[in-house]
Short mmCIF file of all heavy atoms in Angstrom, two decimals:
data_model
loop_
_atom_site.label_atom_id
_atom_site.label_comp_id
_atom_site.label_asym_id
_atom_site.label_seq_id
_atom_site.Cartn_x
_atom_site.Cartn_y
_atom_site.Cartn_z
N ASN A 40 -3.07 12.08 17.52
CA ASN A 40 -4.41 11.95 18.10
C ASN A 40 -5.46 12.72 17.32
O ASN A 40 -6.64 12.35 17.32
CB ASN A 40 -4.40 12.41 19.56
CG ASN A 40 -3.65 11.44 20.46
OD1 ASN A 40 -3.51 10.26 20.13
ND2 ASN A 40 -3.14 11.92 21.58
N GLY A 42 -5.51 12.70 14.24
CA GLY A 42 -5.78 11.76 13.16
C GLY A 42 -4.86 11.92 11.97
O GLY A 42 -4.91 11.13 11.02
N SER A 88 8.18 6.09 14.47
CA SER A 88 7.79 5.18 15.55
C SER A 88 6.29 5.26 15.85
O SER A 88 5.72 4.36 16.46
CB SER A 88 8.59 5.48 16.82
OG SER A 88 8.16 6.69 17.44
N GLY A 313 -5.10 25.84 4.40
CA GLY A 313 -4.38 27.10 4.31
C GLY A 313 -2.90 26.79 4.37
O GLY A 313 -2.50 25.63 4.38
N TYR A 347 -1.20 24.18 10.69
CA TYR A 347 -1.23 24.15 12.15
C TYR A 347 -2.16 25.25 12.70
O TYR A 347 -2.12 26.39 12.27
CB TYR A 347 0.18 24.31 12.73
CG TYR A 347 0.65 25.76 12.81
CD1 TYR A 347 0.55 26.49 13.97
CD2 TYR A 347 1.17 26.41 11.69
CE1 TYR A 347 0.94 27.82 14.04
CE2 TYR A 347 1.57 27.73 11.73
CZ TYR A 347 1.44 28.44 12.92
OH TYR A 347 1.82 29.76 12.97
N THR A 369 2.29 37.66 7.79
CA THR A 369 2.77 37.51 9.17
C THR A 369 1.64 37.12 10.13
O THR A 369 1.84 36.30 11.04
CB THR A 369 3.47 38.80 9.63
OG1 THR A 369 4.53 39.11 8.71
CG2 THR A 369 4.03 38.67 11.03
N PHE A 385 3.01 28.13 24.19
CA PHE A 385 3.99 28.04 23.10
C PHE A 385 5.41 28.15 23.61
O PHE A 385 6.31 27.42 23.15
CB PHE A 385 3.72 29.14 22.07
CG PHE A 385 4.86 29.39 21.11
CD1 PHE A 385 5.18 28.46 20.15
CD2 PHE A 385 5.63 30.55 21.18
CE1 PHE A 385 6.24 28.67 19.27
CE2 PHE A 385 6.68 30.78 20.32
CZ PHE A 385 6.99 29.83 19.35
#
Side-chain angles (χ1 to χ4, degrees):
N40 289 337
S88 73
Y347 82 97
T369 303
F385 164 70

